[in-house]
Amino acid sequence: MNATLGYLSILAAVVGALGITVRGFIAMRDPERANKGYLGLPVILFLSGAVGAIFFLELGLLTDDFSIKYIANNSSSTTPFLFKFASGWASLEGSIVLWGLVLAGFTFAVYARFFRSQTGDRLAAGALAIMGLISLYFFGLMATISDPFARCVQTFSDGVGCVTGENAILANVISSPIEGRGANALLQNHWLMALHPPTLYVGYVGLSVPFAFAISALILRTTGADWLTRTRNWTVFAWMFLTAGIVLGGLWSYEVLGWGGYWAWDPVENASFMPWLVATAFLHSSVVQARRGMLQSWNFVLVITTFALTILGTFLTRSGVIVSVHSFSQSAIGPALLIFLVVVLLGSLGLFATRAHTIASSPRLDSLSSREGVFLFNNLLLTVFAFMVLTGTLYPLFVEAFSNSTVGVGRPFFDRMAIPLSFLLLLAMGIGPVSPYRAASARVVWERIRWPFRVALGAAALAVVFGYGNSFLLLGVLTAVFVMGVIIHNLYNSAGIRAGKLGIGRRQAAVRIMRGDPHYWGGQISHLGVAILALGIAFSANLSETATISIDAGDTVNFAGFEVTYEEAFSRQEPGRFVTGADITVTREGSVVGKYQPRLNQYGNTRESIATPEVDTMFTGDLYLSLRSIDPSTVVLEVYWFPFIWLIWVGGFLAAAAGVWGFAVKKPERSIVPDDTRV
């Protein structure tokens, strides 16, 4: 029943998406039809189908309906509730269902925002039509080659899991396994698995909204920034979730994989990072277009590239062309995604080429020494950064495809390229927001950055005094503190001017200033988060210590100023897994720092052990213990000390959450902040 109703839900979503596409294009040509009544029915049908699909998939998972092939191969009766629920998107077909649900949510939101109380919006009708086309593609995949509700027709010889399945409606003979094979062990080893993919998907799919409006504007030959200003909040919303999803992915990697890192330039990590870089460039250049009418063509290119990179990321993850802990097995969906990517690129860039003459008349840049000039420099750095990551990610694939030989692009390449680009981006991040528009004299800019620069120099000097002589660390401290100093100095000075004029306190004036321009200050808070994150990377990457230590039971080994003692081994059965671990006591100068239990987990029938490290976060850093091997007499541990690594998570989540300031804080109808109080 779950399979039949689930598949019928997918078919309903296909019909709804088709209706959105057809009616959207008709309403685009005939504004009288661009209204709630004409567009509402297919949108509601589409949303209902998408909700129905995920509902029946989750219902099947929670009730152990192993007659569905996907559930038989990705869950089991002993899988804990949280991971059973998360199995809904933990594998290929389920992840497409989640993608479709998020897409349906955004489609409904666009409809509700632009048509529930107004009519005749041709631009929004065209955007709905484009989103309908994208939806038609993804739900078409679910209805054909990526069917999450295929009924099992042949089980494995042991009766656990399913070998082959057929369409839920067409299948004649159903063979239900006695038990499921369980979820991927790596994906049920930490609760972040339930949070990381949905967060990332909201970011990925949300970027389809500005893309759809951009394509609609190109079809309608609409010049100007209307499409861009109307979708700015959607772009910021998607960017927030994409940022949070990437940070959550890094945290999951750090807490689960036991290798002591959070970013490995893994191809699938890169697949999420590339659209983030280009979307970040788009957010900055859209400010310039909205303010000065410049960079119109550039913004179209950026938003098309961003969406194409989200499809490329989906292809890399689901085609099986790369090996990664994040990727799914090879399937027929890979070629279909590649064809879709080619269609998106050729169709959207071809359309852009035919309309280029109508949008290429934007004002010229008055001076490179201006806020627009710095934003342009920022865009150049971000796109070069994205191109570098793209090259390093795809180069091995092309070499293997054309020469049948294998090459690898490792961390040294990415680090060598990314480090100087990152320092330059931090510099632009500090100077850009305090540079005047049109033309910025060196005297004015220096006046605004003079004190932050001196504070940053002082911070770097202080680091030297404390014995930190690493040049990359000092450069990281210098640039990160500089960015933080510029933001704080800017607000402090503006608040002082405002407080003097209104006769109020500086703190009250600062709040009023931030409320007066929530988008600008939301961006500044985000910059503050990025600077904190950069500081965390600088400390943890340059001052970390690591060792592989072997300790006999009852013995103690010294590491990074700690005394690490192996007390005893333990093993026990926990819900859904068998655990083997070591009781470890860590002291410093005789005082107990903590008692820890790094462990190896085994799930279901798998023989593979998944290491779960113990991480003790202190103010000065993380003590990280990961179990490599153990027996009653000896334990082998990977031990790390990461100074101030928590700054990465604090900064990352602050950068992601900063957009909330722009959404939650309402700008007063009459601005209380005159232009002379914000630099």
Side-chain angles (χ1 to χ4, degrees):
M1 184 62 74
N2 290 324
T4 304
L5 293 177
Y7 190 75
L8 289 175
S9 298
I10 289 174
L11 293 182
V14 170
V15 174
L18 183 61
I20 294 170
T21 305
V22 173
R23 291 195 173 194
F25 279 125
I26 292 174
M28 193 181 188
R29 295 175 61 87
D30 181 3
E32 291 186 359
R33 296 192 178 188
N35 57 58
K36 175 182 175 182
Y38 189 69
L39 296 169
L41 180 61
V43 170
I44 297 299
L45 179 62
F46 174 51
L47 180 64
S48 302
V51 171
I54 195 76
F55 173 78
F56 288 111
L57 185 59
E58 290 293 348
L59 185 62
L61 282 163
L62 298 179
T63 58
D64 298 326
D65 186 352
F66 299 130
S67 68
I68 298 174
K69 181 187 173 190
Y70 177 85
I71 296 173
N73 289 338
N74 294 286
S75 183
S76 71
S77 59
T78 59
T79 302
F81 174 83
L82 177 65
F83 299 110
K84 244 182 211 186
F85 189 77
S87 294
W89 52 81
S91 196
L92 178 62
E93 294 85 355
S95 71
I96 301 295
V97 176
L98 179 62
W99 184 289
L101 177 69
V102 177
L103 187 55
F106 275 107
T107 304
F108 178 78
V110 168
Y111 160 76
R113 169 66 182 80
F114 294 104
F115 292 105
R116 293 193 69 174
S117 60
Q118 62 190 50
T119 62
D121 193 333
R122 297 176 64 201
L123 183 65
L128 266 184
I130 300 300
M131 295 187 75
L133 269 178
I134 299 169
S135 306
L136 193 58
Y137 169 79
F138 278 100
F139 278 89
L141 286 181
M142 294 180 224
T144 54
I145 59 176
S146 182
D147 181 4
F149 295 103
R151 302 294 293 267
C152 183
V153 295
Q154 182 185 356
T155 66
F156 285 98
S157 57
D158 58 0
V160 177
C162 180
V163 181
T164 57
E166 290 185 5
N167 180 274
I169 297 174
L170 303 178
N172 293 319
V173 179
I174 300 168
S175 179
S176 184
I178 57 174
E179 178 58 278
R181 298 179 72 83
N184 183 328
L186 269 178
L187 304 182
Q188 56 179 318
N189 205 38
H190 199 282
W191 60 270
L192 277 174
M193 176 54 201
L195 199 57
H196 164 53
T199 308
L200 203 60
Y201 282 19
V202 172
Y204 257 41
V205 181
L207 291 170
S208 64
V209 177
F211 170 77
F213 272 85
I215 297 300
S216 178
L218 287 174
I219 294 173
L220 290 170
R221 300 174 189 272
T222 303
T223 59
D226 184 35
W227 71 271
L228 190 146
T229 52
R230 294 172 70 182
T231 58
R232 175 169 173 77
N233 282 346
W234 302 85
T235 309
V236 172
F237 184 80
W239 184 91
M240 286 169 53
F241 275 85
L242 186 57
T243 306
I246 292 173
V247 178
L248 282 172
L251 186 56
W252 175 80
S253 176
Y254 181 70
E255 294 278 356
V256 173
L257 299 183
W259 60 288
Y262 50 86
W263 193 264
W265 297 108
D266 178 285
V268 179
E269 292 173 342
N270 295 346
S272 65
F273 191 44
M274 288 183 286
W276 183 89
L277 287 167
V278 183
T280 305
F282 173 63
L283 274 177
H284 287 82
S285 60
S286 67
V287 172
V288 176
Q289 183 176 345
R291 179 72 180 251
R292 297 289 318 282
M294 302 168 63
L295 307 178
Q296 292 187 46
S297 299
W298 178 240
N299 279 323
F300 278 113
V301 172
L302 284 181
V303 80
I304 290 171
T305 305
T306 301
F307 180 71
L309 286 172
T310 65
I311 302 301
L312 175 66
T314 310
F315 165 74
L316 290 174
T317 314
R318 290 162 180 79
S319 62
V321 297
I322 55 174
V323 177
S324 164
V325 295
H326 306 77
S327 61
F328 301 106
S329 59
Q330 193 161 10
S331 74
I333 202 174
L337 282 167
L338 192 58
I339 291 170
F340 184 59
L341 174 61
V342 172
V343 169
V344 166
L345 283 173
L346 291 180
S348 53
L349 291 178
L351 179 64
F352 170 75
T354 62
R355 302 291 193 267
H357 63 284
T358 65
I359 54 177
S361 57
S362 56
R364 290 182 178 278
L365 187 68
D366 295 318
S367 169
L368 280 174
S369 301
S370 61
R371 188 175 300 188
E372 306 93 297
V374 179
F375 277 21
L376 195 60
F377 181 60
N378 153 291
N379 265 235
L380 180 66
L381 292 172
L382 287 167
T383 48
V384 168
F385 205 150
F387 182 74
M388 180 274 291
V389 178
L390 181 69
T391 303
T393 304
L394 296 185
Y395 176 71
L397 300 180
F398 283 120
V399 170
E400 186 172 354
F402 292 109
S403 68
N404 206 28
S405 58
T406 303
V407 298
V409 176
R411 182 163 197 145
F413 165 79
F414 288 106
D415 285 348
R416 202 161 40 242
M417 300 297 290
I419 288 172
L421 287 169
S422 300
F423 286 136
L424 289 173
L425 277 168
L426 283 169
L427 199 61
M429 196 185 300
I431 295 174
V434 294
S435 298
Y437 280 103
R438 294 184 180 278
S441 70
R443 185 187 61 78
V444 169
V445 174
W446 173 246
E447 183 64 28
R448 293 175 177 179
I449 66 171
R450 180 165 50 109
W451 280 105
F453 183 66
R454 289 173 177 171
V455 170
L457 278 179
L462 195 62
V464 173
V465 170
F466 277 96
Y468 301 130
N470 183 291
S471 56
F472 286 115
L473 170 65
L474 295 179
L475 204 50
V477 170
L478 184 71
T479 49
V481 173
F482 172 66
V483 173
M484 290 188 273
V486 167
I487 296 167
I488 295 169
H489 182 256
N490 181 11
L491 182 60
Y492 183 82
N493 267 3
S494 300
I497 296 171
R498 193 87 300 254
K501 287 185 177 179
L502 297 179
I504 58 178
R506 193 184 288 264
R507 182 182 302 175
Q508 187 180 1
V511 172
R512 288 191 177 190
I513 287 170
M514 293 182 69
R515 287 188 59 206
D517 196 347
H519 288 303
Y520 173 84
W521 286 104
Q524 293 304 289
I525 296 170
S526 187
H527 284 183
L528 191 64
V530 173
I532 293 172
L533 183 149
L535 205 56
I537 293 175
F539 274 105
S540 63
N542 292 295
L543 298 180
S544 63
E545 296 183 50
T546 181
T548 302
I549 57 177
S550 177
I551 318 175
D552 293 333
D555 282 354
T556 298
V557 171
N558 293 324
F559 167 76
F562 298 97
E563 299 91 37
V564 183
T565 303
Y566 174 31
E567 304 289 356
E568 60 181 352
F570 69 87
S571 60
R572 60 176 174 257
Q573 183 69 46
E574 293 184 354
R577 63 187 179 188
F578 183 77
V579 178
T580 303
D583 284 319
I584 303 293
T585 300
V586 175
T587 58
R588 176 184 274 167
E589 297 178 351
S591 300
V592 175
V593 175
K595 294 180 179 293
Y596 308 102
Q597 292 188 331
R599 57 177 65 186
L600 301 172
N601 298 324
Q602 283 183 296
Y603 292 88
N605 298 321
T606 60
R607 294 184 177 180
E608 182 186 7
S609 294
I610 307 298
T612 296
E614 274 276 15
V615 184
D616 188 357
T617 299
M618 308 169 219
F619 175 74
T620 53
D622 280 13
L623 181 63
Y624 188 107
L625 309 173
S626 183
L627 190 59
R628 284 290 167 265
S629 65
I630 184 170
D631 61 47
S633 59
T634 306
V635 65
V636 178
L637 295 169
E638 291 283 349
V639 192
Y640 303 85
W641 170 248
F642 294 116
F644 300 106
I645 196 171
W646 55 269
L647 289 173
I648 293 175
W649 318 124
V650 172
F653 288 122
L654 179 62
V660 173
W661 182 266
F663 291 121
V665 176
K666 298 298 180 188
K667 185 176 181 179
E669 290 185 8
R670 184 178 179 183
S671 175
I672 59 174
V673 186
D675 289 340
D676 64 339
T677 60
R678 179 167 69 78
V679 293

